[in-house]
Amino acid sequence: DTQMGSIRVKKAWVSSSTEKKTFYFAVYDNACDEGGQRVGEVQSISLSAGGGTARPVSAEITFDNLPYVAIGTEKTYYIYETDENGVPIKQDESLGYNMYLGYYRSSDKVTWTEGIADIDGNIPVTGTDNSDPSKKYEMTKIAGENYSHWTKGLSATKQSNTAQFSNIDMNPEPTDRKS
């Protein structure tokens, strides 16, 4: 018995530029480099920032009608940041920003610290809440030549899931315009 679920994509953008930027996402049924096929349409989020690390902007989209089997095993989906045609993109300096898995929170509220790179070169980043140091947040900075993607499951006990992405401009802080 096939049921339908959904995966919500939450996107944060950090930049000093107020220029509108469009980011694209697609869901695949397997890893893209292992023959995965796109499921459904490409979706986009357009954001205009300008506030640097203190004032990130964000938006959400939802991929609906993702099939899973009601009883038993979980159906795994791969959510990628892509180009406008739904082709997964890899981290590259030519993008002008760094891709992260996880949700960026304002530098006014959270202090971010980079850890040691993993075997793939991706860097864990831990955020500590400035008002409550017991609160921690996790992100992963994607290394060059790696895809920015999440693996998320749907099942009878989990009909919806969330994938969080953040992009931080290479030069995220606004310049001081005072003379």
Side-chain angles (χ1 to χ4, degrees):
D1 189 22
T2 301
Q3 303 289 323
M4 296 296 179
S6 64
I7 295 176
R8 183 173 59 133
V9 171
K10 193 172 180 183
K11 174 68 170 183
W13 171 231
V14 178
S15 179
S16 60
S17 171
T18 55
E19 182 181 328
K20 185 172 273 193
K21 183 110 179 96
T22 301
F23 303 97
Y24 300 92
F25 299 90
V27 174
Y28 279 71
D29 63 2
N30 201 344
C32 66
D33 50 5
E34 294 176 11
Q37 298 296 307
R38 197 171 83 221
V39 178
E41 299 299 314
V42 177
Q43 291 197 45
S44 65
I45 293 176
S46 293
L47 295 168
S48 181
T53 57
R55 287 185 296 288
V57 292
S58 63
E60 296 178 11
I61 53 175
T62 301
F63 289 91
D64 290 312
N65 299 315
L66 298 172
Y68 65 90
V69 177
I71 308 294
T73 61
E74 184 173 83
K75 170 63 180 155
T76 301
Y77 287 100
Y78 296 74
I79 304 90
Y80 285 93
E81 189 152 350
T82 70
D83 65 14
E84 62 273 12
N85 299 312
V87 177
I89 57 173
K90 293 181 179 184
Q91 176 63 51
D92 184 276
E93 276 189 25
S94 68
L95 293 172
Y97 56 81
N98 290 304
M99 296 192 293
Y100 290 78
L101 295 179
Y103 190 70
Y104 180 85
R105 289 161 176 85
S106 169
S107 60
D108 285 354
K109 297 184 172 87
V110 175
T111 302
W112 293 100
T113 308
E114 289 191 358
I116 309 288
D118 66 17
I119 194 161
D120 296 320
N122 297 323
I123 298 170
V125 183
T126 302
T128 303
D129 192 295
N130 295 338
S131 61
D132 180 0
S134 69
K135 269 193 193 166
K136 302 287 185 194
Y137 306 101
E138 301 294 326
M139 291 198 311
T140 301
K141 183 178 182 179
I142 303 301
E145 296 305 303
N146 287 345
Y147 293 108
S148 178
H149 82 283
W150 282 102
T151 305
K152 296 288 179 175
L154 296 175
S155 68
T157 56
K158 188 159 188 77
Q159 295 96 15
S160 64
N161 213 323
T162 302
Q164 299 181 331
F165 295 85
S166 297
N167 288 353
I168 301 177
D169 197 308
M170 296 284 187
N171 299 297
E173 297 305 345
T175 54
D176 187 359
R177 292 185 182 86
K178 294 176 190 156
S179 47

